[in-house]
Amino acid sequence: MTQELAPRLDPKAIEGPRYAAWQEGGYFGVSPTAVTEDGREPYVIVIPPPNVTAALHMGHGLNNTVQDVLIRWRRMQGRATLWVPGTDHAGIATQNVVERQLAAAGCHRDDLGREKFVERVWDFVGKTGGTILEQLKAIGASCDWDRTRFTLDEELARAVREVFVSLYERELIYRGEYIINWCPRCLTALSNEEAEGHETAGHLWHLRYPLAESAYEGAAAAAAAGAEAIGQLPDGRWYLTVSTTRPETMLGDTGVAVYPGDDRYKPLVGADVYVPLTGRTIPIVADRHVDPEFGSGMVKVTPAHDKNDFEIAGRTGLELLDVMTPEAAMNDAVPEAFRGLDRFEARKAVLKALEDEGLLAGTEDHTHSVPHCYRCDTIVEPRLSEQWFVRMKPLAEPALAASKDGTINFTPPHWKKVYEHWMENIQDWCISRQLWWGHRIPVWYCPCGEIIVDREDPTACPSCGSGELKQDEDVLDTWFSSQLWPFSVFGWPEQTDDLAAFYPGHTLVTAPEILFFWVARMIMMGYEFQGEAPFTEVYLHGTVRDIQGRKMSKSLGNGIDPLGVVEAYGADAMRFTIISQCAIGTDISLDHEDVESSFANGRNFANKIWNAGRFALMSIGDDPVQPVDALRDSLLAEDRWILSRLARAAEESTSQLERFRLHEVAEGLYHFFWDEICAWYLELVKGRLGPDADPASREAARSTLVAVLDGAFRLLHPIVPFVTAELWSKLPWPEGSERPEDLIIAPWPSDLDGWIDEGAEADLGAFQNLVVEVRRLRKEYGIGEGQRIGIHLTGGSNGFIEAMQAQGPALEQLARVNALEPSAGSGVGGNAILSNGAELFIPLEGVIDLEQERTRLRGEIDKVAGVLTGAQKRLQNEKFVSNAPAEVVAKARENAAQLEQQKAKLEEKLAGLGE
RNA sequence: GGGCGCUUAGCUCAGCUUGGUUAGAGCACCUGCCUUACAAGCAGGGGGUCGCAGGUUCGAGUCCUGCAGCGCCCA
């Protein structure tokens, strides 16, 4: 199997073919019988379906890499592992894209009509809709592509229909006229979650409303009682003052409200007020919603254009007066001068007119949260409208309980509180959208007034028999279908084998932004329709940001194209870089202006793996390799050491993966591979792999190397699947054992405790200590790396010197030491004390300046002395000795003793150098 | 207004759940090496009063309280 491998990893040469081979091998898919018949434990993730029109961005890169790491790990653990891919029809977003295309061609959706327009969207989706899924393949996502779903598929439409009808039958869906969030550009209702509040610098205007003459007496009394909102105009009319951030809505005012217990205004409750500019009069009412402490304690009430005002009207019987068109222009209910004006034009006009009449009391700057459409960023207008709603409180109960009792876990844990807070204060969900692209609301209206909601399309009215039925024009909120994703993808409402095998799933991986949009609703629907939660672990990863901390986005132009990264550095490089930054609860930050340095770490590591593998494969050669267990007795200390380190790396990786601590997995394996395998083990065995080496030692090294690389590739595979699989496939295989078909299904390393070897770890630690000290002294005295030196070594633990002598070739390789004398040595030279107390002396007659060595030693002594003083102080503290655990005290004593010895020996060395 | 989080090296961040070696990493920086696996590399090095002020404790980057600055979510 010896073959020439390129000295540099060429990701393009290996990634495409590897991925194709995995697909052909069918490793991504799993049959339900693996669970229902073979009894394997399932592990299921459903993908957060990206918008069907989306192009892959770094956020997807992060989200899907995390999922793939978990999926690949669980697959290797032998679970019946399934990752279901798919896309979301994304109602508003997709419709907007196609409308923009139409607009570019000078056309509007109304020109086409509903049917043609929807056809056109399907056409668009059919042509470009699969793009993002193809892109996921480039980053290595091991989804079961045969199960790809789309939220608008016929099969999923059946689930939507069943859920709607079922909830309607139980009165959990209802229709009603309420204030909803309305986007005047998209011309549709939005849910509360879809109306995003942005802090906006605006104004608070104070308006004067003249009182009816009959109220003057009360006004005078109120003014006398200290009501600051009441005053008299120069012409003697009494007025009251109200404040608003949206003056144009005053045209729709139908009342003024005060707090019922507010004594200042008591005489005025029931009195009439003129709405300026309109000639209308409206009553003053009392309502508990008004905060007497806020502003003047009097508020204008615009029931058709404000949610709170709508509620006040409901309690007090005030009229509803809608003064805007769907496009948020003023309608015919307002005075002629304002008709047809856009809301912001109307605002200016109203203010001007009020000022002219002396009714504008003042203006102040005011920063407040203004709701914007989450799709087009237009300012949302609260609007009175008839819509369909889901009654959320009953649905939320089990979903809230699941968090409280720990059935569902959140990582990081603080999201638990956020989730529960939202669930406890949940509001009804407006689900109808005035769009054409989406699941049509399955409701028909008969001219006789009958409303038909059924699982099958009705042909005639069950009440009057009329065939003149008209289906509701609206579609459902996109999230209404995506909330069913964890079971709709398995064919529910049919009781399919897939559903039996793969519901519920296990882990949900997503960004916190859609905790309420999606995660919470999936949990509610899971309980409502399957009787249990759709997953038990919710892992919320961070956001991808640029180095200024701004979220990466198309509009800011600060994005990085994951495919560009894959193209330039490979999928492994991208995956490793992302995962190594993926600490719990933190965002990922990448520099879009220096993509190379952002991904250098991952690229370099992938290349390092490649090169280590390349070297090992060349060194091991083609001869048969024995299983390492068969050679246990001939293993040398470094063999036992690296196997021990492998066992610890496996244990550590597993426990960190279980806790979603992905960055620690990446970091731990990075150091295991780079520092321990490459920097130490490979260097140590180089001499043992050559043709002149002792055969037993050579076989031990070859077997160990195969075992260690096999284990390391398995551990690294979930994070960097391509380079590991490529090298693993070329690795010689120990005789007598069966080789798994592919690394992707090779068993995850576990139960390696038998390889843990504390003695070997201590021995290698001492060896490393020696090498590092020699290197430091060499550097200190400028002894070039080409020059070999002899060293003197005495003391240390039992057998230490002999062990180091046995490492002759390794010492030469690693520290350029060609002779080791087991004596103290004498004369001019460099000195060091190892942590095991051994004394190192490097004769450097004529090379070094005595004074330089004295200064250096004094520095060393000072350093050790500083630490020693701290340690001694602690031990002298009686309270420490008596209160701290015995173990801690013993350790401190040991440590202090060691430091003391080190310091004494250094001082001795210094003294030996004379003045 | 309510809730949540963050502040550790020049930069980006780990470490805090469960307090106990001389606080770590990557990138950047400085010095020396093209040593036949790897210059996308190797060897060595500099750099931190862990936001501030208190408290608990034998012991605090870690736990508690307050403050300051920054950010997110909900209203």
Side-chain angles (χ1 to χ4, degrees):
Chain A
M1 178 84 56
T2 302
Q3 50 195 288
E4 278 306 306
L5 298 183
R8 254 191 205 188
L9 170 62
D10 178 4
K12 263 184 269 188
I14 63 167
E15 293 185 353
R18 271 289 138 201
Y19 196 86
W22 286 328
Q23 276 196 282
E24 267 165 44
Y27 301 119
F28 299 166
V30 68
S31 156
T33 58
V35 177
T36 53
E37 287 172 26
D38 307 343
R40 280 165 63 197
E41 193 188 349
Y43 182 77
V44 179
I45 295 180
V46 291
I47 202 170
N51 288 357
V52 68
T53 59
L56 195 73
H57 57 60
M58 260 310 155
H60 298 119
L62 165 64
N63 178 246
N64 290 288
T65 300
V66 168
Q67 291 176 80
D68 197 48
V69 168
L70 297 174
I71 283 287
R72 284 178 185 268
W73 164 56
R74 293 296 193 181
R75 189 183 288 123
M76 292 173 82
Q77 280 192 324
R79 302 271 289 260
T81 302
L82 175 60
W83 183 14
V84 184
T87 47
D88 193 292
H89 67 279
I92 303 183
T94 306
Q95 178 156 333
N96 283 353
V97 170
V98 176
E99 281 181 355
R100 272 200 297 276
Q101 290 178 347
L102 288 179
C107 180
H108 188 266
R109 79 187 203 215
D110 289 331
D111 303 336
L112 291 178
R114 181 170 197 145
E115 205 172 311
K116 280 260 178 331
F117 179 80
V118 171
E119 251 174 54
R120 172 127 191 181
V121 184
W122 271 111
D123 190 45
F124 173 68
V125 164
K127 276 184 190 136
T128 62
T131 308
I132 192 160
L133 298 181
E134 288 306 311
Q135 292 173 325
L136 285 179
K137 295 178 183 175
I139 68 168
S142 60
C143 303
D144 183 356
W145 299 110
D146 294 338
R147 293 178 194 275
T148 303
R149 296 288 183 270
F150 178 48
T151 54
L152 216 48
D153 281 345
E154 214 172 293
E155 199 176 66
L156 277 71
R158 279 202 295 280
V160 168
R161 181 79 172 256
E162 173 62 31
V163 165
F164 187 96
V165 175
S166 164
L167 291 176
Y168 178 82
E169 286 170 348
R170 287 174 293 142
E171 295 182 352
L172 291 167
I173 281 183
Y174 62 92
R175 183 171 176 245
E177 194 168 45
Y178 298 93
I179 297 287
I180 45 84
N181 299 292
W182 178 264
C183 175
R185 200 217 61 85
C186 300
L187 296 177
T188 180
L190 301 171
S191 66
N192 296 336
E193 292 70 35
E194 288 169 325
E196 293 182 340
H198 298 320
E199 284 296 308
T200 308
H203 301 280
L204 188 62
W205 285 277
H206 307 294
L207 316 181
R208 290 174 177 163
Y209 289 9
L211 285 151
E213 289 75 1
S214 57
Y216 282 5
E217 201 175 315
E228 59 209 61
I230 307 298
Q232 246 178 323
L233 291 165
D235 61 10
R237 286 183 293 162
W238 284 89
Y239 66 85
L240 57 80
T241 308
V242 291
S243 304
T244 181
T245 57
R246 295 188 295 150
E248 68 280 10
T249 62
M250 58 92 57
L251 299 172
D253 282 358
T254 61
V256 168
V258 298
Y259 185 68
D262 193 335
D263 292 337
R264 296 173 295 175
Y265 301 127
K266 251 201 181 122
L268 287 171
V269 172
D272 278 340
V273 182
Y274 290 105
V275 182
L277 316 178
T278 67
R280 291 188 292 114
T281 58
I282 56 175
I284 296 173
V285 297
D287 187 86
R288 58 185 154 83
H289 174 266
V290 180
D291 178 1
E293 305 292 320
F294 187 78
S296 65
M298 277 192 145
V299 299
K300 60 192 274 304
V301 184
T302 321
H305 295 279
D306 182 277
K307 191 160 177 276
N308 289 323
D309 291 1
F310 177 80
E311 284 166 12
I312 292 174
R315 287 188 292 264
T316 58
L318 291 178
E319 274 176 59
L320 309 179
L321 178 61
D322 187 346
V323 293
M324 285 192 204
T325 67
E327 292 79 11
M330 307 316 289
N331 68 14
D332 291 350
V334 304
E336 209 170 336
F338 304 106
R339 277 176 209 165
L341 290 181
D342 168 77
R343 52 186 163 164
F344 300 114
E345 293 299 319
R347 179 173 299 175
K348 286 183 202 155
V350 163
L351 288 167
K352 174 80 170 54
L354 288 171
E355 196 168 14
D356 290 349
E357 295 197 16
L359 297 175
L360 186 58
T363 306
E364 56 188 277
D365 291 339
H366 181 67
T367 300
H368 59 133
S369 178
V370 176
H372 288 66
C373 173
Y374 86 134
R375 276 302 154 201
C376 73
D377 213 36
T378 301
I379 293 180
V380 165
E381 194 64 34
R383 182 169 189 241
L384 183 66
S385 143
E386 185 158 64
Q387 304 286 344
W388 288 92
F389 296 86
V390 179
R391 206 180 299 285
M392 300 304 279
K393 267 249 167 335
L395 295 169
E397 273 169 31
L400 175 60
S403 170
K404 296 216 162 180
D405 68 18
T407 304
I408 293 177
N409 288 301
F410 293 89
T411 305
H414 79 259
W415 289 107
K416 177 186 169 78
K417 288 183 224 163
V418 178
Y419 170 88
E420 290 175 5
H421 183 258
W422 190 73
M423 283 302 210
E424 281 161 355
N425 297 286
I426 199 160
Q427 300 190 350
D428 285 357
W429 174 20
C430 174
I431 51 170
S432 39
R433 296 289 178 275
Q434 288 66 49
L435 302 171
W436 287 347
W437 177 243
H439 291 280
R440 191 100 179 244
I441 291 180
V443 174
W444 282 260
Y445 304 96
C446 178
C448 79
E450 182 75 7
I451 293 176
I452 304 127
V453 179
D454 201 349
R455 287 167 180 82
E456 302 301 326
D457 291 4
T459 50
C461 174
S463 165
C464 73
S466 165
E468 302 285 297
L469 303 180
K470 243 187 110 191
Q471 186 172 4
D472 196 299
E473 292 292 323
D474 293 348
V475 300
L476 290 162
D477 182 359
T478 288
W479 301 100
F480 193 91
S481 55
S482 24
Q483 67 175 345
L484 313 178
W485 191 244
F487 49 88
S488 64
V489 295
F490 297 126
W492 186 88
E494 300 300 315
Q495 291 303 317
T496 63
D497 293 343
D498 279 357
L499 189 66
F502 302 126
Y503 190 95
H506 299 82
T507 307
L508 184 86
V509 180
T510 192
E513 288 101 276
I514 54 174
L515 185 60
F516 308 137
F517 274 115
W518 191 49
V519 180
R521 289 173 182 156
M522 279 192 289
I523 296 170
M524 291 186 264
M525 288 299 115
Y527 275 103
E528 188 64 19
F529 291 96
Q530 307 301 326
E532 57 186 322
F535 34 75
T536 47
E537 297 291 334
V538 176
Y539 174 66
L540 298 158
H541 58 239
T543 304
V544 183
R545 300 181 182 279
D546 67 14
I547 46 170
Q548 293 162 56
R550 299 176 306 175
K551 189 172 169 173
M552 277 195 181
S553 76
K554 222 189 272 180
S555 51
L556 282 174
N558 61 349
I560 296 176
D561 175 12
L563 296 180
V565 176
V566 169
E567 177 72 20
Y569 313 116
D572 287 334
M574 191 204 71
R575 293 168 64 112
F576 186 82
T577 299
I578 284 182
I579 295 299
S580 66
Q581 283 198 46
C582 206
I584 288 179
T586 62
D587 292 338
I588 306 280
S589 73
L590 297 165
D591 186 352
H592 63 286
E593 282 172 355
D594 189 355
V595 176
E596 170 153 358
S597 83
S598 285
F599 291 91
N601 184 229
R603 178 198 59 179
N604 295 356
F605 185 47
N607 191 54
K608 186 73 181 179
I609 296 170
W610 176 257
N611 258 296
R614 169 173 171 259
F615 168 69
L617 291 173
M618 287 188 311
S619 309
I620 293 165
D622 293 333
D623 297 336
V625 175
Q626 296 303 304
V628 73
D629 277 324
L631 298 176
R632 272 204 117 118
D633 293 342
S634 54
L635 297 182
L636 301 192
E638 64 259 31
D639 302 331
R640 285 179 279 114
W641 169 74
I642 197 67
L643 290 168
S644 184
R645 299 307 299 165
L646 171 65
R648 293 196 196 272
E651 194 184 339
E652 188 69 11
S653 299
T654 307
S655 80
Q656 301 290 30
L657 279 164
E658 280 164 355
R659 299 157 66 210
F660 301 107
R661 304 181 76 96
L662 302 188
H663 102 276
E664 297 198 41
V665 178
E667 202 169 294
L669 290 173
Y670 178 93
H671 286 112
F672 170 58
F673 197 89
W674 200 311
D675 297 346
E676 305 198 295
I677 294 183
C678 295
W680 288 102
Y681 187 69
L682 289 183
E683 297 298 336
L684 279 164
V685 295
K686 264 179 186 169
R688 296 167 55 197
L689 292 167
D692 307 329
D694 167 64
S697 170
R698 181 163 187 267
E699 285 318 299
R702 291 174 76 234
S703 292
T704 306
L705 196 47
V706 168
V708 166
L709 287 180
D710 174 43
F713 290 155
R714 291 186 201 214
L715 295 174
L716 282 163
H717 179 261
I719 302 176
V720 282
F722 293 107
V723 67
T724 49
E726 184 72 14
L727 293 167
W728 186 88
S729 73
K730 299 181 188 322
L731 203 60
W733 202 250
E735 296 190 311
S737 65
E738 202 184 326
R739 182 188 190 115
E741 260 177 49
D742 192 289
L743 181 56
I744 195 173
I745 50 160
W748 182 252
S750 62
D751 296 324
L752 302 182
D753 288 0
W755 280 351
I756 289 186
D757 188 332
E758 311 252 0
E761 292 193 8
D763 289 350
L764 260 291
F767 175 75
Q768 290 174 332
N769 191 199
L770 172 62
V771 170
V772 167
E773 285 302 327
V774 172
R775 283 173 177 169
R776 273 178 54 193
L777 286 171
R778 294 181 62 113
K779 276 278 177 195
E780 183 74 27
Y781 293 116
I783 301 164
E785 286 166 36
Q787 194 183 335
R788 300 301 193 263
I789 57 169
I791 62 171
H792 292 258
L793 199 58
T794 54
S797 45
N798 255 353
F800 172 66
I801 306 294
E802 292 73 17
M804 294 306 102
Q805 282 177 311
Q807 288 293 6
L811 274 177
E812 165 129 27
Q813 177 82 16
L814 291 164
R816 310 272 139 185
V817 167
N818 61 3
L820 192 163
E821 293 291 330
S823 63
S826 60
V828 180
N831 297 278
I833 308 300
L834 306 187
S835 54
N836 66 1
E839 294 168 44
L840 169 67
F841 175 73
I842 304 179
L844 292 166
E845 192 76 53
V847 179
I848 66 165
D849 175 53
L850 260 185
E851 192 46 42
Q852 188 185 354
E853 176 66 0
R854 280 195 211 102
T855 308
R856 202 187 60 77
L857 279 175
R858 281 191 206 104
E860 295 273 308
I861 291 165
D862 283 351
K863 215 163 123 190
V864 174
V867 182
L868 179 61
T869 308
Q872 283 170 337
K873 227 168 135 184
R874 204 146 69 113
L875 286 164
Q876 280 156 10
N877 182 345
E878 244 175 70
K879 287 179 178 170
F880 169 69
V881 177
S882 54
N883 289 338
E887 205 184 283
V888 173
V889 177
K891 215 169 169 186
R893 285 221 169 89
E894 200 182 313
N895 189 238
Q898 201 180 59
L899 288 165
E900 212 157 352
Q901 187 193 26
Q902 215 172 338
K903 178 165 167 266
K905 288 188 175 168
L906 283 167
E907 278 164 348
E908 209 177 294
K909 293 274 184 189
L910 180 60
L913 293 179
E915 271 315 292

